[in-house]
Amino acid sequence: MMNCIKKSMAVLSAVLVNACAVTVSAQEKQTEEPLSVILMIGDGTGIPQVSSAFYFGEETPNFERFEEIGLHKSYSTSHLITDSAAGATAFSTGQKTYKRAIGVSKDTIPQETILEKLKNEGYQTGLISLTSITHATPASFYAHVKDRDLHEEIAEQLATADVDFLAGGGRKFFSQRADGKNLFNTILERNYNLDTLKLGNSKAGMRNAFIIEDEGLPSKLEGRGDFLKEASLEALEYFGKAEKPFFLMIEGSYIDWGGHDRNPEMMISEVVDFDKTLGAVLDYVESHPNTLLVVTADHETGGASIGKYYELDAETGKKTEIPEKVAVYFITDQHSGELIPVFAKGKGAENFKGIYQNSAIYHKILKAINAR
């Protein structure tokens, strides 16, 4: 009898210990901090552009630091060859739409974006672009208009969107408008530290906007410097002061422009600059493990390829292959229909393997957040 009692007590103790462990685990899950998200978009970047970093960069590309890699299908509801507006709207709303649409469905109905959704859940938000901050990619995260060229309407929506950190160009759409409004006054009234001349130091306890060119910033070849990396690090430092989760979109805009210009040097320099920024962001993610980084593009531009390099004899016209070199070639000055690479690092990165629609990126990000 005594042995039976002892065995029963041992079983009961084990059950209680397991129950306590489950309770503690549940409590830890509830108190775990929400996941921060960084979405980097290399506008116009397909596999050839990524490949160029391995041939023309001075160091091992930071793309090689990823283990979770996938591909997305970029077409829109109206065109097999998409544009930045439809592509970024698919990322921001979780549904495909027509070419040129900003934050609206294929029926032009405004859709809540991931930035707006997370902001309503207490997240800090940020947008960085080398183009105008009203350009298609950044605009798709806060604006809702039927056409990407409605820059003044997009700027008016941004002025009251209360995005916590902004860095890019587009000054004229706020202060040199057809309606005579100066939207910078509206921005200042909404607790912004505003600088229209340079990327300065952000101020804690305020929103920050650095809108420093009339339209886009210069290209890397034109002497832009390290704006993309510096703005990204400034945003991350700013978000860290508030000790709240954040959503940050960073756009490397001019990889696309290099393809449109069929300019190998421009494309290469912009990819190298994007990769340099990527390295700094990866360092941050590795030291802040409660962060998900997703790197992708809206589409590829130029139909680029990496091929043989030839030297041409000016007198005879004979081409001679140089085995130690490669060259970039373009088949078009427009976008292409290539599958687009997706790289992921951090919590939830495993969700981004495979081949899927561009709109699935929105849902995969939310899946990672909701798995907390």
Side-chain angles (χ1 to χ4, degrees), residues 347-361:
K347 298 286 182 69
E350 67 280 0
N351 297 317
F352 293 84
K353 293 186 290 188
I355 301 175
Y356 39 83
Q357 299 291 351
N358 53 1
S359 52
I361 289 175

Side-chain angles (χ1 to χ4, degrees), residues 116-361:
E116 293 168 328
K117 175 179 174 60
L118 294 179
K119 184 174 185 63
N120 289 336
E121 295 176 9
Y123 273 62
Q124 302 173 90
T125 57
L127 298 168
I128 298 170
S129 179
L130 299 175
T131 57
S132 169
I133 203 67
T134 63
H135 210 263
T137 300
S140 296
F141 288 86
Y142 63 83
H144 308 277
V145 297
K146 63 182 181 180
D147 189 274
R148 59 184 290 172
D149 282 348
L150 298 172
H151 285 279
E152 293 195 356
E153 185 174 344
I154 292 169
E156 190 155 15
Q157 292 185 29
L158 179 57
T160 58
D162 293 341
V163 178
D164 296 296
F165 186 97
L166 298 166
R171 209 165 39 202
K172 73 175 189 178
F173 302 116
F174 296 86
S175 60
Q176 302 169 38
R177 299 167 53 85
D179 61 11
K181 294 180 181 177
N182 187 339
L183 295 179
F184 287 140
N185 292 332
T186 303
I187 288 173
L188 289 169
E189 290 169 359
R190 301 181 79 88
N191 194 35
Y192 272 92
N193 166 46
L194 173 65
D195 197 322
T196 60
L197 298 177
K198 68 182 187 307
L199 176 67
N201 296 323
S202 57
K203 292 186 179 180
M206 299 183 71
R207 300 185 180 99
N208 289 267
F210 303 98
I211 303 176
I212 63 173
E213 296 285 348
D214 279 342
E215 294 191 37
L217 278 75
S219 70
K220 193 70 176 174
L221 294 178
E222 293 169 330
R224 184 178 67 240
D226 291 331
F227 174 88
L228 194 64
K229 177 183 175 181
E230 291 170 357
S232 300
L233 291 176
E234 184 63 35
L236 293 172
E237 181 180 352
Y238 165 72
F239 290 140
K241 294 173 183 176
E243 297 183 350
K244 292 169 57 180
F246 63 85
F247 173 85
L248 174 63
M249 191 286 294
I250 303 167
E251 183 195 20
S253 317
Y254 293 152
I255 301 167
D256 171 67
W257 292 28
H260 283 303
D261 287 348
R262 292 190 173 192
N263 185 331
E265 289 76 19
M266 182 179 186
M267 187 203 85
I268 290 165
S269 65
E270 295 296 337
V271 170
V272 169
D273 183 61
F274 186 79
D275 184 70
K276 185 176 182 179
T277 303
L278 176 57
V281 174
L282 277 167
D283 290 344
Y284 175 90
V285 172
E286 289 172 357
S287 63
H288 297 77
N290 196 38
T291 310
L292 170 64
L293 169 63
V294 180
V295 184
T296 190
D298 41 9
H299 53 74
E300 192 274 344
T301 305
S305 66
I306 310 295
K308 295 179 179 180
Y309 180 92
Y310 294 97
E311 284 188 352
L312 183 66
D313 188 303
E315 293 184 4
T316 66
K318 181 181 178 180
K319 294 197 306 182
T320 303
E321 181 185 353
I322 307 301
E324 300 82 11
K325 291 185 177 183
V326 295
V328 175
Y329 299 91
F330 299 100
I331 63 170
T332 180
D333 61 359
Q334 297 299 308
H335 302 162
S336 76
E338 292 186 15
L339 295 184
I340 301 300
V342 183
F343 303 85
K345 188 87 167 180
K347 298 286 182 69
E350 67 280 0
N351 297 317
F352 293 84
K353 293 186 290 188
I355 301 175
Y356 39 83
Q357 299 291 351
N358 53 1
S359 52
I361 289 175

Side-chain angles (χ1 to χ4, degrees), residues 84-112:
S84 296
T89 295
F91 299 154
S92 71
T93 68
Q95 59 181 279
K96 286 181 178 286
T97 188
Y98 62 92
K99 187 177 177 180
R100 303 188 67 83
I102 297 289
V104 298
S105 69
K106 64 182 181 180
D107 301 316
T108 70
I109 298 171
Q111 302 296 307
E112 181 183 53

Side-chain angles (χ1 to χ4, degrees), residues 26-76:
Q27 289 174 344
E28 287 177 350
K29 188 174 181 67
Q30 289 175 356
T31 58
E32 202 169 8
E33 293 181 3
L35 186 69
S36 290
V37 178
I38 304 170
L39 175 60
M40 293 185 68
I41 299 175
D43 199 312
T45 300
I47 292 175
Q49 284 79 4
V50 173
S51 300
S52 74
F54 289 81
Y55 290 101
F56 297 100
E58 296 179 359
E59 301 175 352
T60 301
N62 288 291
F63 289 108
E64 198 166 300
R65 295 166 65 177
F66 291 92
E67 296 181 358
E68 313 291 355
I69 302 171
L71 294 166
H72 78 67
K73 294 176 272 190
S74 65
Y75 60 85
S76 72

